Amino acid sequence: MTALDLSSPVAVVGTGTMGQGIAQVALTAGHVVRLYDAVPGRAGEATAAIGARLDRLVEKDRLSAADRDAARARLLPAGALTDLADCALVVEAVLERLDVKQQLMRDLEDIVGEDCLLATNTSSLSVTAIGAALRNPGRFVGLHFFNPAPLLPLVEVVSGFATDVTSATRAYEMSRAWGKTPVACADTPGFIVNRIARPFYAEAFAAYEAQAADPATIDAVLRESGGFKMGAFELTDLIGQDVNESVTHSVWQSFFQDVRFTPSLAQRRLVESGRLGRKTGHGWYDHGDDAEQPEPHTAEPAQAPAYVVVEGDLGPAAELATLIREAGIVVREEDEDHGTRMVLPGGGQLALADGQTSVEFRDVVYFDLALDYRRAGRIALSASQDTASGTLSEAIGLFQALGKNVSVVGDAPGMIVARTVARIVDLAHDAVAKGVATEEDVDTAMRLGVNYPLGPFEWSRRLGRSWAYDLLDDLHLRDPSGRYAPSLALYRHAYATEKREGTP
């Protein structure tokens, strides 16, 4: 059995933002859609709201008037759950409480036919636990749409422990028939996206808590160097600090308080203060009408060095040698066995973030990872109190000569982009090794679900398969809490690469 026939009615229970969005997706795909809400009158209000959105699509020439009228005729509010008896699919999008969802499933099972597919749009609860309320949990599946459902293409099709393969396949093919991009995953806390995305927020907040940089600077580095569409602070202000923290807390608790998913104390205080982001007018940033938005820290102009000495191949930053030459700066290359770095005229060193700290060395400046050094608009540098001022000035002037804005941050091991990407890569390898999803589906989910510039495995291939392991291993030595301990899956990945290259 594959996708649902368009003649099959579909029902959505719960008419909030997600419920209405899912209903609109099914409706525009061609199904009869029935809307039910336990609160009297809500289904009718939702029907009117969806109709208004269809009107706007017509105004934008994205839907014909005839198709709108046909869709409106197929959209029907339901006065009782029993009105859903002939539906081939029922998706619930009700309150995120296990007991509420379980009771709803029990009620639905007594109403719908035996071949009806039952689904949940939960983002934080166990699909297995919800389905356990059913006599036949094999027909129950997770269908995690992303908000706004009519616009975002990704759907995580989640198989609970007891979900039948045929049910998961039906849900997958149905999602594709609705114009979505489905990915298959096992029932794990956070599924794919909310599990693997945690470091994007966590490492930004950790850098802030360590006073490495302010939110505006960290966000600018993530955007302009890392290639992310938004920084972690502005994105969580958009999502809602309470919503983002709730997901983080749920994943942390579901993994038995695994230190890798520890929530941020700074974000907790923000939520406690009622500063939830755009919806309350204040979060990490002030969103008032007259608020002046903070600017990222940008270094003052400095003199570029006359030359640099490149020792080693610079690894993921190898393109810098070409860019430096194009800027008219002499590049001298030396083969060295003890690392990859640049030596500046004053004798100081410039090295790519590797999980070590500037304070460990006599005179070194670290620079952060960039998705694309040629296109990056900003580069972050990190130095300690022992770094010579002349060395830092030469490093600033070098990157400014390449046309980059420069932000100097505190002595943070792994800096900002590098440790964020390394942790995302690690969690992705760990998830695949534990059967959560395939590498291809993980990359698809992270690109489409949270709009990352690359999927974790695409990053891994670009940066070198041992890069993330080496950086995290160095970080773990400096912070042995376990937060940065590389997973066994990442270790195996890096070690296998070394063996193929002939390392004993």
Side-chain angles (χ1 to χ4, degrees):
M1 186 178 294
T2 55
L4 300 180
D5 189 276
L6 289 180
S7 63
S8 303
V10 169
V12 177
V13 179
T15 59
T17 301
M18 285 307 303
Q20 289 184 33
I22 295 168
Q24 184 177 332
V25 171
L27 188 67
T28 54
H31 290 275
V32 169
V33 177
R34 298 198 175 99
L35 281 174
Y36 174 78
D37 198 292
V39 178
R42 285 274 178 87
E45 293 171 3
T47 299
I50 294 171
R53 283 199 289 275
L54 295 177
D55 288 340
R56 289 195 290 273
L57 291 177
V58 172
E59 292 169 3
K60 296 177 181 179
D61 292 325
R62 293 168 56 187
L63 185 71
S64 71
D67 286 343
R68 174 202 58 195
D69 295 342
R72 277 182 164 174
R74 296 193 304 272
L75 182 60
L76 307 169
L81 276 180
T82 51
D83 294 342
L84 314 182
D86 64 338
C87 289
L89 167 70
V90 180
V91 183
E92 71 80 13
V94 299
L95 187 67
E96 282 285 275
R97 274 180 42 187
L98 180 61
D99 58 336
V100 172
K101 292 179 184 292
Q102 286 180 327
Q103 185 58 57
L104 174 61
M105 288 302 129
R106 292 189 193 99
D107 294 341
L108 285 169
E109 193 170 35
D110 291 334
I111 294 169
V112 299
E114 293 183 1
D115 61 345
C116 176
L117 187 65
L118 298 175
T120 175
N121 185 57
T122 187
S123 61
S124 60
L125 299 176
S126 164
V127 172
T128 300
I130 300 171
L134 295 167
R135 294 187 298 274
N136 175 19
R139 62 154 137 180
F140 185 70
V141 67
L143 281 176
H144 183 215
F145 289 79
F146 288 74
N147 188 32
L151 297 180
L152 295 186
L154 185 69
V155 177
E156 292 177 317
V157 180
V158 186
S159 293
F161 188 78
T163 302
D164 290 337
V165 173
T166 53
S167 298
T169 301
R170 287 179 68 194
Y172 187 97
E173 294 300 331
M174 178 207 68
S175 301
R176 188 155 58 181
W178 287 3
K180 296 300 180 181
T181 302
V183 292
C185 66
D187 184 20
T188 183
F191 309 141
I192 299 174
V193 172
N194 282 329
R195 172 178 177 154
I196 296 174
R198 296 345 296 160
F200 178 73
Y201 313 106
E203 293 311 309
F205 299 161
Y208 167 75
E209 290 173 341
Q211 301 186 56
D214 59 278
T217 299
I218 295 171
D219 277 352
V221 171
L222 286 168
R223 289 193 314 269
E224 299 173 40
S225 184
F228 294 95
K229 296 297 183 183
M230 298 181 73
F233 296 91
E234 58 188 337
L235 180 56
T236 52
D237 264 4
L238 176 63
I239 295 169
Q241 299 301 331
D242 52 339
V243 174
N244 181 261
E245 193 213 25
S246 176
V247 173
T248 299
H249 196 272
S250 174
V251 172
W252 176 62
Q253 289 283 21
S254 297
F255 276 113
F256 308 106
Q257 299 186 356
D258 186 330
V259 68
R260 295 176 302 166
F261 301 102
T262 301
S264 162
L265 181 59
Q267 188 180 39
R268 176 91 292 262
R269 293 292 179 260
L270 203 65
V271 173
E272 288 174 340
S273 71
R275 295 187 170 189
L276 306 183
R278 292 189 182 186
K279 61 187 176 183
T280 61
H282 208 303
W284 295 111
Y285 300 108
D286 185 347
H287 297 281
D289 292 338
D290 300 323
E292 185 175 336
Q293 295 306 307
E295 293 293 327
H297 167 74
T298 301
E300 294 296 323
Q303 182 69 39
Y307 69 90
V308 296
V309 179
V310 175
E311 297 182 346
D313 64 4
L314 297 183
E319 187 182 22
L320 280 177
T322 300
L323 298 180
I324 294 169
R325 286 193 184 92
E326 290 175 358
I329 298 171
V330 174
V331 176
R332 303 173 186 168
E333 295 186 352
E334 295 182 3
D335 292 330
E336 294 288 340
D337 296 330
H338 53 72
T340 57
R341 62 184 182 178
M342 288 182 276
V343 181
L344 299 165
Q349 301 174 33
L350 186 59
L352 176 62
D354 59 6
Q356 301 182 81
T357 65
S358 297
V359 75
E360 298 173 55
F361 305 96
R362 182 183 62 81
D363 193 13
V364 65
V365 173
Y366 278 107
F367 63 92
D368 208 350
L369 179 70
L371 174 68
D372 182 334
Y373 281 99
R374 183 175 293 277
R375 295 184 180 180
R378 182 176 300 271
I379 295 293
L381 302 180
S382 172
S384 74
Q385 66 270 22
D386 295 328
T387 303
S389 59
T391 298
L392 180 57
S393 179
E394 286 181 329
I396 292 171
L398 175 64
F399 282 102
Q400 288 175 339
L402 306 186
K404 317 300 182 187
N405 287 317
V406 175
S407 292
V408 179
V409 304
D411 187 19
M415 300 195 65
I416 297 169
V417 178
R419 75 186 194 187
T420 298
V421 171
R423 289 205 60 215
I424 289 171
V425 168
D426 182 45
L427 289 186
H429 277 279
D430 184 54
V432 169
K434 291 176 179 174
V436 174
T438 65
E439 291 185 8
E440 182 181 2
D441 277 354
V442 167
D443 277 355
T444 298
M446 302 313 291
R447 281 189 282 101
L448 298 184
V450 278
N451 209 13
Y452 283 3
L454 293 174
F457 292 96
E458 293 172 318
W459 249 315
S460 186
R461 289 187 290 272
R462 175 179 290 200
L463 297 171
R465 294 178 63 180
S466 64
W467 175 84
Y469 175 83
D470 291 341
L471 186 143
L472 291 175
D473 194 41
D474 275 337
L475 267 169
H476 179 54
L477 289 174
R478 288 150 184 82
D479 178 2
S481 65
R483 178 188 181 100
Y484 298 104
S487 67
L488 180 59
L490 191 63
Y491 171 77
R492 285 173 172 154
H493 182 73
Y495 180 70
T497 302
E498 289 181 356
K499 284 189 68 176
R500 285 196 296 274
E501 293 171 353
T503 301

